[in-house]
């Protein structure tokens, strides 16, 4: 294994296998950032090819990221074994290819999981995702995207942190309640647009997006680690559950590529890549992704290679990859395809036409004849031109071909350099809590104002009450005596003037 690592670093290339003409086939590390494709029907050996490539990059000191869709790539952290049921085939293939340094070996690995179940959780914040990327992921129209931009701007102007989905949902509810006030300062905020964003966000959340947004956010440098033996760390993302939400998978892919592009410096074509990304079952990324997301993936894929990052898609057929993306995949490993229908034959002919022809065989015919562990290979030469396609017996991996047990996974995580860094979910005071506090303060203020109004109303009512205050007992006695004396005086005057009435 040590000889294998030193040879890869010294030669500046990865050994892929033995060609039909008896020559060794290699992938140049200096051209590995030009992206690649591993394709083939189920059971033709493309996952094993992916494992072999990933561990070869790691041996050359290149950090690697792999999306483990079927759960069988976690074994890359464990050494292979002669007890493995297909060990005789692996050892026989290595001997056939003249791999004198072949020996089982493990790899430096870190397990990740967006849900935090089979690895360390991967998170980012709503603010880091940004309104533009989020709008594309939610497939918003121009008006709705404008409203989302206003919400982000309002949050920024008022010190409201947008960290998780709860924060964004609270901001949307606030915008709905205060649409008129916000429109006066920032532009039109219609309740209809806010409602549409809320509905899209609920759909996004149902795929598990609430687990992806939060803190602590991933530090991208943790994906670029090299261990004390000089091996690039292989970051294994548990994606079996993630595949149930293809929009979230596409979201993660786009976020990761965008984050790498914005973080890493421009390096052109380095001697070895800074990082290589492998996305298994790539058709799941592109099936239901909005057009704007596909366009963004194509743009980032084109630009990210100048940052020294290579992206490799693994899928059943090249037709699963959008043409704009497929055209950027210079390193191709094509396993067997099956021709059961006229449509299948058309795909095979298109795949054959994408290779630089080999005068020794018909590429379209060979694609259907390839055995397990065989592939048509064309990689980029020193000047960037594709090599003539060759029929190659692919080199076997040195790691375990199959999953790691739960116990083995836990042991790997316990000795991981990022252990404890991302385990606990942080819940800082952010927009959700801040808006709740503001609502409470506003409610308390309104209650106090209402109490003052009620008290003032009672005083006003009391002052306007009809009649004088009730007289006391002594006052009543005085008034009665005064009335009687007044009556007697009046009667006496009447008698004096008019005499006694008959």
């Amino acid at each position: 294994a040590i000889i294998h690592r030193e040879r890869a670093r010294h030669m500046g290339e990865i050994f892929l296998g033995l060609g039909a003409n008896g020559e060794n086939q290699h992938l140049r590390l200096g051209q590995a950032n030009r992206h690649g494709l591993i394709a083939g029907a189920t059971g033709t050996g493309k996952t094993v090819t992916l494992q072999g490539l990933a561990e070869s990059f790691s041996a050359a000191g290149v950090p690697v990221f792999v999306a483990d869709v079927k759960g069988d790539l976690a074994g890359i952290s464990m050494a292979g074994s002669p007890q493995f049921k297909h060990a005789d085939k692996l050892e026989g293939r290595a001997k056939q290819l003249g791999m004198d340094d072949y020996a089982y070996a493990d790899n430096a690995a870190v397990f990740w999981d967006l849900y935090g179940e089979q690895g360390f959780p991967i998170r980012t914040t709503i603010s880091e995702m940004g309104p533009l990327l989020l709008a594309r992921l939610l497939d918003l129209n121009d008006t709705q995207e404008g409203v989302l931009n206003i919400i982000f701007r309002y949050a920024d102007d008022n010190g409201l942190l947008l960290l998780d989905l709860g924060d964004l949902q609270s901001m949307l509810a606030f915008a709905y309640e205060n649409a008129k006030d916000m429109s006066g300062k920032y532009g039109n905020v219609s309740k209809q647009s806010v409602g549409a964003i809320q509905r899209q966000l609920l759909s996004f959340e149902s795929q598990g997006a609430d687990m992806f947004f939060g803190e602590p956010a991933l530090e991208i440098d943790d994906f670029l680690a090299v261990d004390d033996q000089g091996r690039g760390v292989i970051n294994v993302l548990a994606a079996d559950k993630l595949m149930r939400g293809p929009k979230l998978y596409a979201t993660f892919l786009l976020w990761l590529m965008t984050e790498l592009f914005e973080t890493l410096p421009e390096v052109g074509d380095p001697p070895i890549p800074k990082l290589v990304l492998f996305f298994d079952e790539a058709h799941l990324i592109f099936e239901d992704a909005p057009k704007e997301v596909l366009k963004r993936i194509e743009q980032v894929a084109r630009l990210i290679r100048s940052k020294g990052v290579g992206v490799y898609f693994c899928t059943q057929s090249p037709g699963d990859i959008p043409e704009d993306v497929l055209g950027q995949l210079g390193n191709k490993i094509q396993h067997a395809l099956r021709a059961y229908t006229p449509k299948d034959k058309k795909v095979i002919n298109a795949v054959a036409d994408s290779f630089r022809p080999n005068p020794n065989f018909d590429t379209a015919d060979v694609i259907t004849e390839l055995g397990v562990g065989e592939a048509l290979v064309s990689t980029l030469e020193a000047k960037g031109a594709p090599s003539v396609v060759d029929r190659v017996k692919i080199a076997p991996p040195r790691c375990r071909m199959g999953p790691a047990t739960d116990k083995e996974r836990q042991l790997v995580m316990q000795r991981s350099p990022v252990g404890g860094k991302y385990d606990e979910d942080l819940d800082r005071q952010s927009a959700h809590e801040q808006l709740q506090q503001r609502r409470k303060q506003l409610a308390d203020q309104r209650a106090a104002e209402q109490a003052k109004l009620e008290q003032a109303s009672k005083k006003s009512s009391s002052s306007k009450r009809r009649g004088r205050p009730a007289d006391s007992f002594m006052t009543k006695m005085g008034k009665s005596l005064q009335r009687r004396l007044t009556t007697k005086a009046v009667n006496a005057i009447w008698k004096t003037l008019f005499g006694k009435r008959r």
Side-chain angles (χ1 to χ4, degrees):
I2 295 174
I3 295 173
H4 167 57
R5 290 197 295 272
E6 293 304 321
R7 182 175 296 177
R9 292 176 191 142
H10 177 70
M11 300 296 293
E13 56 191 18
I14 290 173
F15 176 61
L16 296 178
L18 188 65
N21 57 3
E23 294 183 0
N24 291 340
Q25 293 294 318
H26 297 88
L27 172 62
R28 291 175 175 80
L29 290 171
Q31 299 290 344
N33 64 319
R34 300 298 184 96
H35 310 324
L37 174 70
I38 304 171
T42 300
T44 57
K46 60 181 182 293
T47 299
V48 178
T49 297
L50 189 160
Q51 281 183 302
L53 270 178
E55 68 175 15
S56 294
F57 275 118
S58 173
V62 179
V64 174
F65 172 89
V66 296
D68 187 9
V69 175
K70 299 185 288 292
D72 54 359
L73 291 177
I76 206 166
S77 62
M78 300 290 141
S81 169
Q83 282 72 45
F84 179 63
K85 63 180 180 180
H86 296 304
D88 55 338
K89 294 181 180 179
L90 296 178
E91 294 169 7
R93 172 61 63 86
K95 186 176 181 180
Q96 185 181 16
L97 301 184
M99 298 172 64
D100 298 332
D101 62 345
Y102 184 79
Y104 296 115
D106 62 0
N107 295 281
V110 175
F111 292 119
W112 302 91
D113 184 357
L114 262 65
Y115 302 98
E117 296 172 355
Q118 301 182 67
F120 300 110
I122 295 178
R123 305 183 188 92
T124 188
T125 66
I126 292 290
S127 293
E128 288 177 342
M129 180 69 72
L132 180 61
L133 185 53
L134 195 59
R136 287 173 174 169
L137 294 169
L138 296 176
D139 200 19
L140 304 182
N141 61 34
D142 291 342
T143 302
Q144 294 159 0
E145 182 179 340
V147 170
L148 190 63
N149 272 287
I150 289 174
I151 289 171
F152 271 74
R153 176 66 182 273
Y154 181 90
D156 188 51
D157 289 349
N158 290 273
L160 300 171
L161 298 177
L162 298 178
L163 303 179
D164 54 31
L165 280 187
D167 294 327
L168 184 55
Q169 288 164 338
S170 293
M171 275 301 308
L172 288 166
F174 178 83
Y176 189 89
E177 296 167 0
N178 300 272
K180 186 176 181 180
D181 294 338
M182 292 178 69
S183 296
K185 183 176 181 180
Y186 295 93
N188 185 37
V189 178
S190 70
K191 291 186 175 182
Q192 293 84 353
S193 293
V194 174
I197 299 171
Q198 288 174 317
R199 289 190 295 273
Q200 289 292 84
L201 201 61
L202 284 174
S203 174
F204 193 34
E205 185 179 9
S206 68
Q207 296 192 11
D210 56 323
M211 303 294 294
F212 182 45
F213 295 104
E215 288 186 314
L218 176 73
E219 294 181 16
I220 208 68
D221 285 344
D222 287 333
F223 271 8
L224 306 174
V226 176
D227 75 353
D228 54 6
Q229 298 180 40
R231 300 179 299 179
V233 170
I234 300 178
N235 301 277
V236 183
L237 174 69
D240 48 345
K241 185 176 179 180
L242 183 60
M243 287 303 95
R244 302 171 197 170
K247 181 178 285 188
L248 183 57
Y249 188 27
T251 299
F252 171 75
L253 163 63
L254 185 51
W255 167 79
L256 179 58
M257 292 172 64
T258 302
E259 192 73 8
L260 288 166
F261 175 73
E262 293 177 350
T263 302
L264 297 177
E266 193 87 14
V267 293
D269 291 322
I272 66 172
K274 295 287 186 181
L275 177 70
V276 172
L277 310 174
F278 288 93
F279 290 97
D280 198 6
E281 301 296 334
H283 65 281
L284 296 174
I285 299 172
F286 302 106
E287 276 181 351
D288 298 318
K291 290 182 180 179
E292 284 297 319
V293 173
L294 296 179
K295 182 179 179 181
R296 179 67 175 170
I297 290 175
E298 184 268 326
Q299 290 174 339
V300 177
R302 185 190 311 117
L303 298 171
I304 201 173
R305 79 180 190 195
S306 65
K307 305 286 185 169
V309 178
V311 182
Y312 288 70
F313 294 103
C314 188
T315 189
Q316 294 187 14
S317 170
D320 299 331
I321 310 296
E323 288 188 9
D324 288 339
V325 176
L326 189 63
Q328 300 181 53
L329 310 183
N331 299 299
K332 300 178 182 179
I333 301 177
Q334 177 65 60
H335 289 272
L337 293 174
R338 309 304 180 203
Y340 299 114
T341 66
K343 183 178 179 180
D344 293 337
K345 292 180 180 179
K346 186 176 180 180
V347 170
I348 289 172
N349 288 330
V351 172
D353 291 341
S354 69
F355 285 104
R356 184 177 169 185
N358 189 323
N360 297 320
F361 57 78
D362 185 292
T363 304
D365 290 341
V366 171
I367 290 177
T368 61
E369 300 170 357
L370 294 169
V372 176
E374 281 190 302
L376 290 174
V377 174
S378 175
T379 60
L380 296 178
E381 297 177 340
K383 295 184 178 181
S387 64
V388 172
V389 65
D390 198 4
R391 182 173 183 169
V392 178
K393 292 182 178 179
I394 301 297
R398 301 161 189 266
C399 61
R400 179 189 298 173
M401 292 172 53
T405 65
D406 291 341
K407 185 176 181 180
E408 290 170 338
R409 189 184 291 269
Q410 289 301 319
L411 289 173
V412 171
M413 291 178 66
Q414 286 174 11
R415 61 174 183 260
S416 172
V418 299
K421 185 174 181 179
Y422 300 103
D423 292 347
E424 294 187 11
D425 185 12
L426 299 181
D427 190 15
R428 285 196 291 161
Q429 188 179 52
S430 50
H432 177 67
E433 292 80 11
Q434 289 169 302
L435 289 174
Q436 279 188 329
Q437 187 175 356
R438 288 187 184 187
R439 286 191 181 96
K440 184 179 183 303
Q441 290 173 347
L442 184 60
D444 292 344
Q445 183 180 348
R446 287 174 177 172
E449 291 175 354
Q450 183 65 28
K452 288 181 180 179
L453 288 174
E454 290 177 357
Q455 186 176 1
S457 177
K458 288 180 181 179
K459 289 182 179 180
S460 175
S461 176
S462 176
S463 65
K464 292 180 180 180
R465 186 180 301 161
R466 291 183 178 180
R468 293 172 295 185
D471 294 334
S472 65
F473 175 75
M474 292 304 295
T475 302
K476 289 180 180 179
M477 289 293 291
K479 287 181 177 181
S480 177
L481 179 60
Q482 185 179 2
R483 282 195 298 271
R484 272 183 268 175
L485 291 174
T486 301
T487 301
K488 287 182 179 181
V490 171
N491 287 339
I493 294 171
W494 182 273
K495 287 179 180 180
T496 301
L497 293 175
F498 301 103
K500 186 177 179 179
R501 288 191 299 177
R502 297 181 182 272

